[in-house]
Amino acid sequence: MNKKEVAKQYITHLENGNIEQVIALFTQNGIVDSPLYGIKNANDFYRELNSDTSTSELYVKGIFEEDHTNSIALYFTYKWTLKNDKKVEFDVVDIIEFDNQHKISKLKIIYDTVTARKLVAEL
């Protein structure tokens, strides 16, 4: 798969709650930098996110790729229903860095956490 195909797979697996498939897109030491959960290895991050999540709906607004880089940016709307049935919706930009085999080595999540932070604290 090329970088754009990996990014599309990432969105699909994340929305469907297929955590094992999401984690499989990462390198063994892949990390996620999240404004809500901090910096964690991908395995720990997605398991924690999954334990806090009832459902997710993701709507891709754009995938941005520059030639000759190992990065891609995903821009999407995230409709997140938490385990306690509280809902929050926000726009997200994920910056994905790949290794030479198109595995994700780092994913940086960028979004406004003002509402989500309060709701996650209530879990």
Side-chain angles (χ1 to χ4, degrees), residues 103-122:
K103 294 284 249 180
I104 301 170
S105 58
K106 181 179 180 185
L107 186 139
K108 181 171 183 64
I109 304 169
I110 303 166
Y111 68 98
D112 183 348
T113 64
V114 70
T115 302
R117 186 173 303 281
K118 180 178 70 173
L119 294 177
V120 169
E122 294 174 4

Side-chain angles (χ1 to χ4, degrees), residues 62-111:
I63 299 175
F64 305 93
E65 181 178 8
E66 295 224 13
D67 292 336
H68 311 296
T69 70
N70 281 334
S71 300
I72 201 166
L74 290 171
Y75 175 39
F76 59 96
T77 298
Y78 189 61
K79 291 184 178 184
W80 187 21
T81 303
L82 299 164
K83 288 285 185 187
N84 62 4
D85 289 325
K86 301 277 182 155
K87 297 179 183 198
V88 63
E89 179 178 332
F90 46 86
D91 285 344
V92 181
V93 175
D94 283 354
I95 308 297
I96 301 173
E97 296 177 21
F98 295 91
D99 70 2
N100 292 334
Q101 284 76 45
H102 295 138
K103 294 284 249 180
I104 301 170
S105 58
K106 181 179 180 185
L107 186 139
K108 181 171 183 64
I109 304 169
I110 303 166
Y111 68 98

